[in-house]
Amino acid sequence: MPKRDDPAVSVTVVRTGGIAGLRRTWHVAPVGADARRWLDLIEHCPWAEPRPDRPSGADRFSWKVSAEIGSEHREARLQDAEVTGPWRTLVDAVRASPDVTLRGGGRRDPSS
């Protein structure tokens, strides 16, 4: 049961590119005690760290990671090689979440 003072938390990961150029979207919106774990994952990512605008290269993925904590919005655009450390931890957690959804509410196999 969420506490009254717990902020709403959601994370969206969008992956584009690859050989087929497909777009995949994963979204989680945890509540209550589970939201605290997600807050920790979000806080460990270097959101304010500048990233050079580099070309992604042929058949590589590009990632957009967005997090909402209450009314605060954070967003980062990453090339495949930049999805390491805390970014990799957050992206993998979203994709592996049993509650992951797609736009429109459909559930998605996290391995795709």
Side-chain angles (χ1 to χ4, degrees):
M1 181 80 162
K3 291 182 186 173
R4 192 176 173 122
D5 58 348
D6 284 341
V9 176
S10 69
V11 182
T12 303
V13 173
V14 179
R15 182 188 73 192
T16 57
I19 294 171
L22 298 176
R23 177 185 179 110
R24 303 271 188 196
T25 302
W26 300 266
H27 176 80
V28 294
V31 294
D34 194 34
R36 287 187 209 68
R37 178 179 79 89
W38 288 93
L39 285 170
D40 189 48
L41 292 173
I42 293 165
E43 292 300 324
H44 278 90
C45 291
W47 297 92
E49 190 173 291
R51 284 174 210 69
D53 193 20
R54 291 179 244 158
S56 63
D59 300 333
R60 295 204 176 110
F61 293 120
S62 293
W63 301 82
K64 181 175 125 183
V65 182
S66 304
E68 304 283 340
I69 304 169
S71 62
E72 179 186 351
H73 177 79
R74 299 178 187 188
E75 183 174 294
R77 293 182 183 274
L78 307 165
Q79 298 305 319
D80 209 24
E82 296 174 298
V83 182
T84 61
W87 289 118
R88 174 54 61 196
T89 303
L90 179 60
V91 166
D92 288 349
V94 172
R95 293 176 66 199
S97 174
D99 298 321
V100 70
T101 59
L102 286 174
R103 276 181 308 165
R107 294 189 63 127
R108 173 65 59 119
D109 175 9
S111 64
S112 59

